[in-house]
Amino acid sequence: QVQLVESGGGLVQAGGSLRLSCAVSGRTFSSLTMGWFRQAPGNEREFVAAISWMRDRTYYTDSVKGRFTISRDNAKNTLYLQMNSLKPEDTAKYYCAATAGITTGTRPYDYTYWGQGTQVTVSS
């Protein structure tokens, strides 16, 4: 069973930065495609970024391109999301997700394993 634990959320002013982390255990991390999703109250869970297990290819939703960077450290079994130039509309609970057998996934149902989420609040 794969376990994912997010950390790094918090309250930040618009224009600020946060780095989210996701510690993964239970399976060979390097074999997993990883993603970040977010969900604001009343909204569906939406894709933010993904990084494949193969050659670390990265994918982003348009609204975060140029501001967010997804990365992974296979030696530490940890996924990261560096978030810069944060905006109030980035406010949401952010979830780490993992899947095996595919090189990318931008839909929640592409992912098998999920963390409990970490709250990010951006004040204006």
Side-chain angles (χ1 to χ4, degrees), residues 1-8 20-27 29 32 34 36 71 73 76-81 95-98 113-116 118:
Q1 184 72 10
V2 178
Q3 294 184 325
L4 293 77
V5 179
E6 302 97 334
S7 61
L20 305 184
S21 299
C22 175
V24 180
S25 61
R27 184 158 179 167
F29 179 66
L32 297 170
M34 302 296 300
W36 287 100
S71 62
D73 186 335
K76 295 183 178 180
N77 291 350
T78 303
L79 175 73
Y80 302 100
L81 184 69
Y95 295 89
C96 170
Y113 308 102
W114 292 86
Q116 294 300 306
T118 185

Side-chain angles (χ1 to χ4, degrees), residues 1-82:
Q1 184 72 10
V2 178
Q3 294 184 325
L4 293 77
V5 179
E6 302 97 334
S7 61
L11 173 64
V12 63
Q13 288 188 331
S17 298
L18 283 175
R19 187 175 82 155
L20 305 184
S21 299
C22 175
V24 180
S25 61
R27 184 158 179 167
T28 303
F29 179 66
S30 59
S31 69
L32 297 170
T33 286
M34 302 296 300
W36 287 100
F37 288 76
R38 64 188 180 187
Q39 187 168 17
N43 291 355
E44 294 185 351
R45 192 166 296 189
E46 66 169 349
F47 170 74
V48 176
I51 184 166
S52 71
W53 67 271
M54 183 184 291
R55 292 192 288 274
D56 287 352
R57 294 187 67 178
T58 58
Y59 308 86
Y60 299 91
T61 192
D62 287 346
S63 64
V64 308
K65 285 180 181 176
R67 300 188 299 123
F68 290 11
T69 302
I70 189 172
S71 62
R72 65 193 300 162
D73 186 335
N74 289 340
K76 295 183 178 180
N77 291 350
T78 303
L79 175 73
Y80 302 100
L81 184 69
Q82 178 67 44

